[in-house]
Amino acid sequence: MPPLHPNSSPPNESASRAQLIQGLLFVRGSIHTVAKQKTVCLPTPTTHLQFAMATRIRPSSKRCAVIGGSGFLGRHLVEKLLDKGYTVSVFDIRQSYELPGVTFHQGDLCDKQALLTALQDVSLVFHCASPAPASDDKALFQRVNIQGTQTVLQACTEAGVQKVVLTSSASVVFEGTDIKDGREDLPYAKKPIDYYTETKIEQEKLVLKACDKEKGLLTVAIRPHGIFGPRDPQLVPILVDTARRGKMKFIIGDGSNLVDFTFVDNVVHGHILAAESLRPESPICGKAYHITNDEPVRFWDFMADILVGLGYAAPRYHLPYTLVYGLALLLWLLSLLLRPLVAFKPTFTPMRVALAGTHHFYSCSRAKQDMGYKPVISLKDGIRRTVESYPHLRHGA
Ligand SMILES: NC(=O)C1=CN([C@@H]2O[C@H](COP(=O)(O)OP(=O)(O)OC[C@H]3O[C@@H](n4cnc5c(N)ncnc54)[C@H](OP(=O)(O)O)[C@@H]3O)[C@@H](O)[C@H]2O)C=CC1
Ligand SMILES: CC(C)=CCC[C@@H](C)[C@H]1CC[C@H]2C3=C(CC[C@]12C)[C@@]1(C)CCC(=O)C[C@@H]1CC3
C-alpha cells in the first residue's frame, strides 16, 4: 500500500480521524486536500478497510531533517527518530556513520543551496549543529552560530519547513556566578563568559524571533545542560585525559556546588516532545525550555562517579576557587597574547573553572507543564550506561 505523500506533515490525531471519516464517505477515487499550502495526495483505496488502513498515521510519512546529525546529540536524536518511525535527512559538515532510513547531505550550514537540497519535502527541522565549545575561534562561532543560523532560517522558509527546533544551551544565562533552580525568564548573560555562549545567545534570539504563525513557521528552543552519555566526545574523554595526565587530583572550591548533568536520552526526549507539541495553538511557540535530568548533583561527586567507575581515583585536595579562576584568566590572556608565536590550549579555561566551581542548575518545570516533559533515564542509570560504554577509556585499557 503506498504511503501518504511525503510532503505531508506528521498528521495529528484529529486530522487522521477526519481522514478516516472521509474514507468512509469516499470508497473509490483519490482525494486531494490542501494542508498548510501543501497538497496532500491520499492514495486510491478500493475498500473501506483499505482506505481506513491507508489513512492511519503511517510512520514513514514523518519526514524531518537533523542539522548537525553527525554529532554526539544529533546522532542520538536521529536514532530515536528512526525508532519512532521518522525518515531522517542528516545535514552536517561531516558524515560519521551510515544508517538505513537516513539520507546524508554533507555540507556547511552557511551554504543555503546545499541546505535547500537537504530540506526538500521536510516539514520539521532540528538544528543542533555548532562548533565545539572548546574552540576559541570567534570568527568561526559568529559565522556558524549567527550567520549560519540566519541561513538555516531562510532556507527553512524557502523550503516550506513548518517547524524548527533549535538546540540552544542553558549557558545562555550563565555569567560565571551561581544559578540555583534557574528559570527560563532569567535574562541572557550580559557578559557571556566565552564566544560559544555569546553566539548561542544570538542564535537563540534569532530562532525564537523567527516564530511566525502567519507565515507558517513555528520555532522553539531547547536549552540542555551538561549533556553526557555514550559516544560523547567531550566530557568523559576530557576527564579521562586529565586524569591520565595526573591532573585530576584537585577539587575547585569546597566541592558542594550543585550542577545539572543531563543524560543524552533525556535531551533527545525533550527535543522530540517539543517538535510534537509545536502547533499554532501551543504555548511553546517562540519559547525556550530547559531540559535537564531534574536531579542536580554535586559537580565533584559526578566527576568522581565517572572516574571511579572507569577505575581512576577521585579528586581529593581542595583549591580555592578565586585562585584557580584568576590563574585560568591569566593563562587565557597569555594564550591570546602569544598566539602569533606559540599556540597552546590551556586545560583550565575560565569557563571550565567557572563550570567546575559554581552552582548552575535549572528548573525544567516549564517543560513539564507545557509539554509533559519528564526525564526518562535517572542520573544513576545514565552514569552506569555511560561508564559501560567507554571500555577503551578504563584505567589500564
Ligand atoms: N554537549 C553539551 O553538553 C551541550 C550541547 N549543547 C548544544 O547541543 C548541540 C549539539 O552539541 P553536541 O552534539 O555536543 O556537539 P557535536 O560537536 O558533537 O555536534 C555538532 C555537529 O555539528 C557539526 N557542525 C559544526 N559546524 C557545522 C557547519 N558549519 N555546518 C554543518 N555542520 C556543522 C559538527 O561537525 P564537526 O564536529 O566537524 O565540527 C558536529 O557534527 C550544539 O548546538 C550545542 O551547542 C547545548 C548544551 C550542552
Ligand atoms: C555541567 C556542564 C555544563 C558540564 C560541561 C562539561 C564540560 C565543560 C566539563 C567536562 C569535563 C570537565 C572538566 C573540567 C571543567 C569542566 C569540564 C570540561 C576541569 C577542567 C575542571 C578543572 C579540573 O580540575 C579538571 C577538570 C577536567 C574535567
Side-chain angles (χ1 to χ4, degrees), residues 105-297:
H105 299 266
Q106 201 169 344
D108 187 331
L109 59 82
C110 301
D111 176 352
K112 193 168 81 181
Q113 283 314 314
L115 275 172
L116 282 171
T117 313
L119 299 185
Q120 261 177 23
D121 298 334
V122 162
S123 61
L124 164 63
V125 166
F126 295 93
H127 175 9
C128 54
S130 167
S135 162
D136 54 1
D137 187 339
K138 185 178 183 179
L140 177 71
F141 281 122
Q142 284 179 334
R143 194 180 70 81
V144 177
N145 286 352
I146 304 179
Q147 281 101 283
T149 298
Q150 274 164 338
T151 310
V152 167
L153 291 168
Q154 279 164 13
C156 286
T157 308
E158 285 178 33
V161 168
Q162 291 155 20
K163 305 179 187 186
V164 174
V165 180
L166 169 73
T167 316
S168 179
S169 168
S171 301
V172 295
V173 295
F174 184 63
E175 285 188 316
T177 51
D178 290 342
I179 294 183
K180 297 178 183 174
D181 208 30
R183 292 175 181 265
E184 289 84 348
D185 54 10
L186 282 174
Y188 287 117
K190 283 183 196 68
K191 288 185 197 147
I193 204 158
D194 58 11
Y195 303 133
Y196 167 76
T197 314
E198 190 178 312
T199 56
K200 289 297 282 185
I201 294 174
E202 291 314 309
Q203 178 191 52
E204 185 185 283
K205 287 183 183 168
L206 283 170
V207 170
L208 297 184
K209 213 174 107 200
C211 188
D212 188 334
K213 294 176 193 173
E214 302 302 309
K215 287 193 187 148
L217 183 67
L218 304 180
T219 65
V220 63
I222 297 299
R223 291 180 179 174
H225 197 51
I227 312 175
F228 73 101
R231 298 194 300 255
D232 155 47
Q234 302 264 342
L235 200 151
V236 177
I238 294 177
L239 196 55
V240 167
D241 180 58
T242 317
R244 283 183 173 165
R245 287 188 288 118
K247 290 188 177 172
M248 261 331 273
K249 294 193 169 60
F250 301 102
I251 293 172
I252 300 173
D254 67 4
S256 67
N257 55 310
L258 292 175
V259 164
D260 279 319
F261 282 100
T262 313
F263 190 62
V264 64
D265 287 17
N266 295 328
V267 180
V268 164
H269 180 53
H271 278 70
I272 298 178
L273 269 182
E276 295 184 343
S277 316
L278 199 54
R279 291 186 214 99
E281 69 282 6
S282 153
I284 77 167
C285 295
K287 284 203 202 147
Y289 286 87
H290 293 151
I291 290 294
T292 71
N293 243 77
D294 208 15
E295 289 176 85
V297 56

Side-chain angles (χ1 to χ4, degrees), residues 1-2 23 26-30 43-52 54:
M1 204 175 297
F26 294 86
V27 181
R28 273 189 168 275
S30 70
T44 308
T46 47
T47 66
H48 288 183
L49 182 64
Q50 266 185 308
F51 192 96

